[in-house]
C-alpha cells in the first residue's frame, strides 16, 4: 500500500533578466504543488520542465557538493539544492529566488563568477615550498595533527560563492578579495610547509584584509561552516603580530586597542592620528570640520568611565603570554 505524500501550494517569485534583451529585471510568479521537504532547486527544475523552459539556472550535483546552485532564497545566499521549500513558505509566505549579488547577471539566476575566481587566483592558492627544506624522503607531509587542526575548516569550502554574494565589503569595494579567498589564504599562511607566509600577509593587505567590516554575514551564509570571518580575524591578528603597525589597517587595530584603554571608551579624535599619523590628520582635516559641524560632541575627549580599573584588568589579562593549553 502506498501513502499519498502531503503537498503545499507554493508561490515562487523568480528573478528574470536577460541583459542582451531586457531593459530591466522583473520577477515572474509561478505556483507549484510540492511536498514541503522539496529542495528549492528541484522546484525550479520542475518549473522549468513543466511551465517555462526559458528559466535559466546553474546546478550540477544536487547534493550540496559542487557549489554550482548558489543563489539567493528569500534574500539569503545559500545552496538551492539543500534549501527546502516548506520552511521558506512557513517563514515568508512565498519563495523569492534571485541570483547571487556582487557579480553581474548573465541570465536569470546565473551570474558571471569571473571576479570571484580572479580574487581567488590573487592569493596564489597553492603551496609555495621552500626549496632549501625539501620534504623528507618517503614522507608525504611534515605536518603534525595539531598543525592540520589549525585549518581543518577551510578544506570544507566548495567555492559556491555564497559568502562573496553576502559580503557588503565586496559590494562597497570590488577590489576586496572577499571571504572565500581570505579563508583560503589563511589555509596557506598557517601551513608550516609554505615558505611565503610573511609575503602572503604583506601582499594581501593593501586594499585587502582590513576592508573586512567584521559583520560575519559570510559566516552566516557559508553552507559548509568554514566560518570565513573568523579566519579573516585570525589573519588580522597575524598581520598585527608580524608587522606591529607598519600598515594603516594594523595601525588602526593597535590604535583602537590602546585608545580604549585610556578612558574605557573610544576617543574618536585621537584614533585618526593613531591610525594615519600627523600627515593623515592633516589630510582628513576637511572631513573633521564637517563632522564637527554636524556632531561636535564626537570630537570632544570623553570622560573616563566608571570601573576603568576593570577594563585595565582585561587588558593586562590579554597582554599576559598565553599559557600552554589556554
Ligand atoms: S547542485 Fe551542487 S551544490 Fe547544489
Amino acid at each position: 500500500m502506498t501513502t499519498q505524500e502531503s503537498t503545499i501550494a507554493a508561490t515562487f517569485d523568480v528573478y528574470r533578466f536577460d541583459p542582451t534583451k531586457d531593459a530591466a529585471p522583473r520577477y515572474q510568479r509561478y505556483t507549484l504543488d510540492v511536498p514541503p521537504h522539496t529542495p528549492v532547486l528541484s522546484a525550479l527544475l520542475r518549473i522549468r520542465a513543466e511551465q517555462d523552459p526559458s528559466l535559466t539556472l546553474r546546478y550540477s550535483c544536487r547534493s550540496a557538493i559542487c557549489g554550482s546552485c548558489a543563489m539567493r532564497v528569500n534574500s539569503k545566499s545559500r545552496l538551492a539544492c539543500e534549501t527546502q521549500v516548506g520552511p521558506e513558505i512557513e517563514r515568508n509566505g512565498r519563495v523569492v529566488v534571485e541570483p547571487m549579488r556582487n557579480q553581474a547577471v548573465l541570465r536569470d539566476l546565473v551570474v558571471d563568477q569571473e571576479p570571484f575566481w580572479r580574487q581567488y587566483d590573487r592569493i596564489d592558492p597553492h603551496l609555495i615550498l621552500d626549496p632549501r627544506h625539501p620534504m623528507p624522503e618517503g614522507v608525504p607531509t611534515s605536518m603534525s595533527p595539531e598543525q592540520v587542526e589549525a585549518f581543518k575548516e577551510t578544506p570544507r569550502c566548495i567555492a559556491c560563492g555564497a559568502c562573496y554574494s553576502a559580503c557588503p565589503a565586496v559590494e562597497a569595494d570590488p577590489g576586496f578579495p572577499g571571504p572565500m579567498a581570505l579563508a583560503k589564504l589563511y589555509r596557506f599562511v598557517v601551513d608550516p610547509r609554505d615558505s611565503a607566509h610573511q609575503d602572503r600577509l604583506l601582499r594581501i593587505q593593501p586594499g585587502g584584509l582590513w576592508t573586512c567590516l567584521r559583520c560575519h554575514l559570510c559566516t552566516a551564509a557559508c553552507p559548509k561552516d568554514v566560518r570565513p570571518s573568523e579566519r579573516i580575524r585570525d589573519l588580522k591578528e597575524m598581520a598585527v603580530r608580524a608587522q606591529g603597525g607598519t600598515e594603516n589597517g594594523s595601525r588602526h587595530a593597535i590604535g583602537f586597542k590602546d585608545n580604549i584603554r585610556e578612558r574605557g571608551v573610544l576617543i574618536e579624535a585621537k584614533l585618526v592620528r593613531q591610525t594615519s599619523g600627523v600627515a593623515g590628520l592633516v589630510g582628513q582635516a576637511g572631513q573633521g570640520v564637517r563632522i564637527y559641524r554636524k556632531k561636535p560632541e564626537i570630537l570632544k575627549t570623553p570622560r573616563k568611565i566608571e570601573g576603568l580599573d576593570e577594563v585595565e584588568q582585561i587588558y593586562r589579562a590579554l597582554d599576559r603570554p598565553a599559557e600552554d593549553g589556554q
Side-chain angles (χ1 to χ4, degrees):
M1 196 178 85
T2 56
T3 49
Q4 191 78 38
E5 200 172 12
S6 67
T7 60
I8 51 170
T11 300
F12 296 84
D13 286 329
V14 183
Y15 181 101
R16 305 299 308 273
F17 184 47
D18 180 349
T20 64
K21 286 196 213 139
D22 303 333
R26 67 195 156 85
Y27 288 83
Q28 191 154 344
R29 177 159 288 192
Y30 306 95
T31 51
L32 206 59
D33 284 340
V34 289
H37 62 260
T38 303
V40 170
L41 176 63
S42 303
L44 293 171
L45 293 176
R46 259 189 66 195
I47 288 171
R48 189 169 74 171
E50 297 169 14
Q51 301 182 30
D52 188 346
S54 71
L55 179 61
T56 307
L57 64 153
R58 187 189 275 145
Y59 72 100
S60 179
C61 69
R62 301 179 70 169
S63 307
I65 294 169
C66 73
S68 312
C69 69
M71 53 187 77
R72 282 190 303 146
V73 179
N74 287 331
S75 302
K76 292 196 176 132
S77 301
R78 48 180 57 180
L79 298 179
C81 69
E82 68 166 9
T83 304
Q84 294 184 346
V85 172
E88 293 302 315
I89 294 289
E90 240 169 64
R91 274 195 298 267
N92 304 287
R94 61 184 179 145
V95 185
V96 180
V97 189
E98 297 165 301
M100 286 199 287
R101 298 179 72 181
N102 298 331
Q103 293 147 102
V105 173
L106 295 175
R107 188 159 166 178
D108 297 342
L109 302 171
V110 177
V111 295
D112 179 3
Q113 290 191 296
E114 195 276 333
F116 171 72
W117 288 111
R118 187 162 17 93
Q119 293 297 347
Y120 179 55
D121 280 348
R122 184 178 156 195
I123 62 141
D124 287 331
H126 53 87
L127 271 182
I128 301 173
L129 295 172
D130 185 341
R132 292 167 306 171
H133 299 109
M135 295 292 176
E137 208 173 303
V139 178
T141 171
S142 60
M143 295 173 72
S144 66
E146 293 74 32
Q147 287 165 332
V148 174
E149 184 74 11
F151 59 78
K152 69 176 192 303
E153 286 117 355
T154 316
R156 292 204 290 254
C157 173
I158 56 172
C160 63
C163 59
Y164 193 81
S165 166
C167 178
V170 172
E171 187 178 352
D173 176 7
F176 176 58
M180 178 271 218
L182 291 174
K184 296 277 188 183
L185 174 75
Y186 171 83
R187 178 251 174 277
F188 294 107
V189 169
V190 298
D191 191 322
R193 299 166 302 171
D194 193 272
S195 62
H197 308 211
Q198 200 77 352
D199 188 45
R200 288 180 188 276
L201 275 175
L202 277 174
R203 275 194 296 128
I204 203 67
Q205 287 192 69
L209 203 51
W210 300 97
T211 309
C212 167
L213 307 166
R214 288 169 293 176
C215 65
H216 300 284
L217 288 175
C218 54
T219 290
C222 178
K224 296 295 175 188
D225 200 25
V226 171
R227 292 183 274 169
S229 56
E230 293 178 25
R231 303 294 76 79
I232 297 171
R233 176 208 59 202
D234 294 340
L235 284 171
K236 286 177 175 173
E237 283 179 13
M238 284 184 236
V240 168
R241 276 202 302 274
Q243 294 167 272
T246 54
E247 200 270 344
N248 252 9
S250 53
R251 259 203 309 271
H252 181 78
I254 293 168
F256 205 96
K257 183 181 158 208
D258 293 345
N259 187 309
I260 290 182
R261 187 172 200 163
E262 200 175 313
R263 289 173 179 261
V265 65
L266 190 67
I267 310 166
E268 302 260 6
K270 193 173 176 183
L271 186 62
V272 179
R273 181 163 47 80
Q274 287 170 308
T275 301
S276 316
V278 177
L281 199 60
V282 173
Q284 293 180 47
Q287 194 182 2
V289 171
R290 282 197 295 280
I291 291 172
Y292 183 74
R293 283 196 186 129
K294 260 192 157 169
K295 216 173 169 194
E297 66 275 13
I298 211 167
L299 296 181
K300 286 194 187 133
T301 303
R303 266 199 225 122
K304 287 182 182 174
I305 62 159
E306 277 179 40
L308 189 59
D309 51 330
E310 287 173 37
V311 174
E312 182 55 30
Q313 279 170 27
I314 294 171
Y315 274 86
R316 286 202 186 141
L318 287 172
D319 287 343
R320 223 173 284 142
E323 287 162 30
D324 279 350
Q326 304 259 308

